[in-house]
Amino acid sequence: MAYNDFDKPHFFLNSNATSKAFTSPSGGGGAPKTIPKQDRPTHSAKLREDLATISTKLETLKREASDIALTMGIGIQAEFESFPDVDMAVESLANAIHGIELHNVKTVNKDDQLIEIATVFIPDGKLYSFEQKIVDYLNEKKNKNGEPLDNQKLLDSIRSIRTAAFSAIWSDDDSFLPEDKDKLVWWEVWVSTPRKSKESNNHYQAIISDFTLIANEVEVTVSQHKLRFPEHTIVQVKASQNQLTNNTLLLSRIAEIRAPKITAEFFDSASSEEQEQWSEDLLKRLYQPNTGDEPYVCIIDSGVNVEHPLLSPFANLSDQLTITDDDDPTDNLGHGTEMAGLAMWGDLTDVLGLTQIEVINHKLESVKTLNYSGDNKEKPLGIITSNAISEVEYNNPERSRVYSMSLSSGTGTNFGRPSSWSSALDSLSVDFLGEGAIPRLFTISAGNARITSMMDYPEYNFLQDIHDPAQAWNAITVGAYTKKVTLSESSDSRPLAPLGGLSPYSTTSLIWDRKNSPIKPEIVFEGGNMGKDALGCAGMNDLHLQTTYRDFSTRHFQCSHGTSAATALAARFTAQVKCKYPKLWPETIRALTVHSADWTDEMYSLASVKRTDKSTKKSDISNLLRIVGFGVPNLEKALNSASNSLSLVIQDELQPFIKTKGSELKTKDMHLHELPWPKEILQSLGGTNVELTITLSYFVEPNPSSRNILNKYSYASHQLRFDVKRPVESGADFQKRINKANRADKDDKPNSTEDSNWYIGIDNRHRGSIHKDIWRGSAVELSERGKIAIYPASGWWKTRQSHQRFNSKARYSLIISLSVPDVDVDIYTEIASKIAAMTTTPAAINIDT
């Protein structure tokens, strides 16, 4: 028996979890920073003077707006600035009852000191709320029990209050500002449209109508295209920076201003000799099962010319769609056709000239989103993507598909912060507007490094920020590595990147804010290499991939490279998994893809470690994740198990939160999975080295804003965590350790045990909405790890009650793999027997093939 042959289907367990009431045992947050006490009389006088100035400005605004028929009334936006290196209690600035909204929070560096700036919208007549806070502060107000009600923590942290300026509302890097402040340009404007408990759509329409009326009054053009999120609506406006700066009335309605993202990330194609005969030979070797339920790879790009001989077997002319103004679905730019070839065939370099049969059971469709870079200046790119999805699904609603988008803004992500485009992708993935009816799987490109002839590889790539919208939590972001190291061209060049190393074209997330950003990219695929000689670096045909050319009347093939090419290969991979298991959720396809990935030996060196190191630092692995994600996916392992290396797949849902009597919101459910563990076999193996790999995947509903640094204003609707019973831990202590609700009282705490064998570690793995970790140890220790808990962490479903999402359920996919790589042992059959014994129904193993 070949124990390490991956020729067996995975185990698909029906929902086998026991649901438990859950309370987090963690206090969280750490020790608060000390806020220096101010002299109350002096400080309160200063703040009251600031409020008086704002009140005068508000009266001016009311006179300016007297001729505008506004529905929602007048208000003003105030800018609260903290003392240096002090955390301002910004959440205390909002007051829903009075309609006072916290719009924006940002930290700036002034003279090597960190200053916090919060912008707050204050309706007319509500300034007294802040005035009363100051009075209570000055009088050191206390309640009847002598406890302070004086707002000291908040007011002692505020250095000044003033009318909000453009600089406070601007949320992007200053490098994106136009050099000419009088030049008319398009801006991305975030208008606060918070949902109230019993709000009708008229409330939202009134806010947008008022904003448009004010903009028209000051001759600012407002695009008709709007992108709505739970608490913001994003529109694009055409104005000069000075126009925005000098219109306080308009600024009062704006939560944030950001630079609009214009697609520019297309890649030059290297020419190659026409090889018509190669195409004909390859087509003779093509076998299509055509079962009738094949998944489609939908290319969101510049169109696809599906009449190309190597693409026509997978698509008809009716599969070419477009949302461009000219209604022409064909690809004049060439990028979409380039991606299609890779998505269907993979790298043609690997298949041309062979003799074996090529089995392809997925198909192709295309939606053209643009003709050239910059033809979408009035539309948020999230709207363009959403319209593309609507076009595809309206025309063929019954199809199963995965989406591939190798477009990016060509600019970074501001340290991983969500944008309107990335948030739109997250919304489309989870199908927020459709209440989760049609969740979607996206593969998107990380974006290419800005190549220079003298780049210092790979350190140069470490500083190249992944491009917007690849920070999306729910999409699979694809970076690039390379195995292209063979040069046939006669030159003095050598490959720049080593075999299995980071592609020189790939970007990374090493410079991101790791506390608030997901791990990106999640995976890497082949993206090509560069050549290097005494004069510098350059792309070379030998080191690139080969794919289809848009105009097959002149030549059939062209070269391709970068994270675009890698993304098309990733889409092909996910389509192949979907072919094998057509009924799996998008979250599960994503989980299997990431779960199967591993790092090459060369990738370990990027973090200055080796695969065989026994004491690798968690910080080194954290850096490795930010460079190449979880590595290169393995199709064989994603599709199948082996006798000594198997995977259990679980799809389930739980309710993270609940609203109890009154207004209290708290966590609700934890799932405890009792697994069919081959305990006896593992114990018999004693000290043999084994691996346990766990991947948890789920989609979040996004709520983007610059307030997402605060727990109350979380970007994610919810988050989930996993934990595993430790070897010497009892089942009762395991539940007590992770679940306060299992403790009889505050003194009923579990016995402390160590668990240092996790490779990534709990501090690193719980980022974003897909979590993976690897436990390595002895077989006898693994034998005691047959219990896994899934439990909720916080999110805006819990903290933003007005949205009434606290009773929502969250789907999740859980993959658990056991591997005994160095021993010929059949644990697969043992687990199959245990699963059969777990149920009285015949369908103990539910496998979709």
Side-chain angles (χ1 to χ4, degrees), residues 323-548:
I323 59 169
T324 55
D325 293 337
D326 60 7
D327 290 327
D328 178 11
T330 59
D331 181 14
N332 299 313
L333 195 58
H335 192 257
T337 303
E338 178 185 343
M339 296 303 102
L342 294 168
M344 301 316 297
W345 294 95
D347 182 2
L348 286 173
T349 308
D350 297 334
V351 296
L352 291 171
L354 299 179
T355 58
Q356 65 194 43
I357 298 297
E358 296 293 331
V359 181
I360 300 177
N361 197 32
H362 58 283
K363 292 188 177 295
L364 173 68
E365 64 183 2
S366 162
V367 55
K368 182 176 177 178
T369 59
L370 75 172
N371 284 300
Y372 56 87
S373 298
D375 68 348
N376 47 15
K377 292 182 179 180
E378 288 186 32
K379 301 178 184 179
L381 296 179
I383 286 285
I384 293 174
T385 307
S386 180
N387 290 345
I389 302 304
S390 296
E391 180 73 11
V392 168
E393 295 180 354
Y394 175 79
N395 279 273
N396 295 288
E398 77 290 347
R399 284 182 178 172
S400 170
R401 56 174 61 85
V402 296
Y403 291 95
S404 178
M405 190 173 77
S406 293
L407 305 176
S408 74
S409 67
T411 60
T413 64
N414 200 355
F415 304 104
R417 188 184 65 176
S419 69
S420 61
W421 196 4
S422 71
S423 301
L425 281 171
D426 282 333
S427 182
L428 289 165
S429 296
V430 75
D431 191 23
F432 174 68
L433 295 179
E435 297 290 331
I438 311 174
R440 304 169 179 94
L441 182 63
F442 289 88
T443 58
I444 59 177
S445 60
N448 279 7
R450 294 170 179 82
I451 300 301
T452 67
S453 62
M454 300 305 294
M455 61 185 290
D456 184 18
Y457 170 89
E459 287 76 10
Y460 178 80
N461 300 79
F462 296 166
L463 301 177
Q464 294 290 296
D465 181 11
I466 282 174
H467 295 176
D468 186 28
Q471 69 273 40
W473 284 42
N474 296 336
I476 300 177
T477 298
V478 187
Y481 88 118
T482 189
K483 294 172 68 177
K484 303 279 187 180
V485 294
T486 302
L487 288 171
S488 62
E489 300 173 11
S490 177
S491 71
D492 295 327
S493 295
R494 58 179 177 79
L496 178 60
L499 177 70
L502 178 72
S503 169
Y505 297 106
S506 197
T507 49
T508 69
S509 65
L510 273 173
I511 65 173
W512 281 9
D513 171 12
R514 301 191 188 186
K515 181 179 179 181
N516 295 303
S517 65
I519 292 170
K520 294 289 176 174
E522 287 94 343
I523 54 174
V524 290
F525 276 86
E526 179 64 66
N529 204 345
M530 298 177 68
K532 181 178 177 64
D533 60 17
L535 299 178
C537 308
M540 302 179 70
N541 288 353
D542 271 344
L543 303 178
H544 287 171
L545 298 80
Q546 196 166 58
T547 185
T548 46

Side-chain angles (χ1 to χ4, degrees), residues 143-160:
N143 64 16
K144 63 181 180 180
N145 298 320
E147 297 167 333
L149 293 175
D150 56 359
N151 310 295
Q152 182 181 14
K153 181 181 177 181
L154 171 64
L155 296 181
D156 275 349
S157 67
I158 299 172
R159 178 161 66 179
S160 64

Side-chain angles (χ1 to χ4, degrees), residues 244-286:
L244 297 177
T245 300
N246 297 327
N247 281 285
T248 305
L249 181 60
L250 185 63
L251 290 183
S252 70
R253 301 297 177 123
I254 299 174
E256 300 180 44
I257 301 175
R258 301 188 185 184
K261 306 301 190 297
I262 306 301
T263 49
E265 188 60 25
F266 291 108
F267 310 103
D268 291 335
S269 307
S271 61
S272 61
E273 181 182 0
E274 181 180 353
Q275 297 289 341
E276 184 174 354
Q277 186 60 50
W278 285 1
S279 292
E280 292 177 0
D281 291 342
L282 180 56
L283 288 170
K284 291 176 183 178
R285 295 188 284 112
L286 171 64

Side-chain angles (χ1 to χ4, degrees), residues 103 169 171-172 187-193 211 227 229 231-236 251 253-259 261 417-423 703-706 708 715:
H103 273 182
I169 303 171
S171 295
D172 266 331
W187 307 82
E188 187 176 274
V189 168
W190 294 51
V191 180
S192 178
T193 51
F211 173 78
L227 188 62
F229 292 105
E231 296 189 306
H232 292 88
T233 297
I234 299 170
V235 298
Q236 291 199 348
L251 290 183
R253 301 297 177 123
I254 299 174
E256 300 180 44
I257 301 175
R258 301 188 185 184
K261 306 301 190 297
R417 188 184 65 176
S419 69
S420 61
W421 196 4
S422 71
S423 301
N703 187 10
S705 82
S706 287
N708 291 148
Y715 175 76

